[in-house]
Amino acid sequence: AVYVFVRQGSTWSQQAYLKPAAVGSTQAGDQFGIAVAVSGDTIIVGANGEDSGSTGINSSPNESELSSGAAYIFARRGSKWSQQAYLKPASVGATQSSDQFGASVGIWGDTAIVGAPYENSSSTGINSSPNENSVASGAAYIFQRGGAKWTQQAYLKPAAFGTTMAADQFGTSVGIA
């Protein structure tokens, strides 16, 4: 869970207790809250152990891909927080099992970044086609909000690397500004 606290003057109080709005058959091992970032009235929460094989934004969670990971966007209106989006990559190679999407997250205004350090693609550059040819090479994903709707804007991989990307774990940490 994620707990949101606010300060008024010198007094702190808990404003919210956040949990995913929808999950597959279980949340066990999802690690919801492994990574958290805040920008204004928006919070992004990573859950790198989430097991859904679904793709895209606000897809229906299932339990078909162990530790594929997910990220969740929550928005505040007044003092009320609600889930605005359930984020998954738009496309993956043959599987997203063990990618750990959501191990790192960042947000700034209407732009969010999500790291997946165990993603297995050997593709390079921005918006390349994912494959399963380089174990734990890692990736990062950019999402953009328009109104209350989120869309994936980019799939990020390094443009160049040495002889192999295996075990590089690109996306272990992310930041955005």
Side-chain angles (χ1 to χ4, degrees):
V2 171
Y3 300 83
V4 179
F5 292 87
V6 296
R7 183 180 75 191
Q8 292 182 333
S10 62
T11 304
W12 285 90
S13 62
Q14 183 178 332
Q15 188 175 68
Y17 169 78
L18 305 177
K19 294 284 278 182
V23 295
S25 58
T26 180
Q27 293 181 55
D30 283 2
Q31 296 187 335
F32 180 85
I34 191 79
V36 177
V38 180
S39 178
D41 291 331
T42 308
I43 294 176
I44 184 169
V45 179
N48 66 323
E50 191 263 359
D51 295 329
S52 181
S54 64
T55 56
I57 290 127
N58 295 328
S59 55
S60 295
N62 59 46
E63 302 295 324
S64 67
E65 301 277 344
L66 292 177
S67 295
S68 57
Y72 302 82
I73 302 281
F74 294 86
R76 177 174 58 186
R77 177 164 282 167
S79 61
K80 302 275 189 213
W81 288 90
S82 60
Q83 185 174 315
Q84 192 172 60
Y86 165 68
L87 305 178
K88 296 287 283 184
S91 65
V92 296
T95 180
Q96 44 181 322
S97 185
S98 300
D99 284 0
Q100 295 194 20
F101 179 88
S104 57
V105 297
I107 191 163
W108 183 65
D110 292 326
T111 306
I113 185 168
V114 179
Y118 292 94
E119 188 265 356
N120 295 325
S121 181
S122 65
S123 64
T124 58
I126 299 168
N127 293 329
S128 55
S129 295
N131 58 45
E132 300 296 322
N133 296 332
S134 189
V135 175
S137 58
Y141 302 80
I142 301 289
F143 296 88
Q144 185 73 38
R145 176 173 50 193
K149 184 179 177 185
W150 287 86
T151 57
Q152 183 176 317
Q153 295 298 305
Y155 165 68
L156 306 177
K157 298 288 283 187
F161 57 92
T163 57
T164 181
M165 292 186 338
D168 282 358
Q169 297 178 3
F170 182 82
T172 295
S173 62
V174 296
I176 192 166

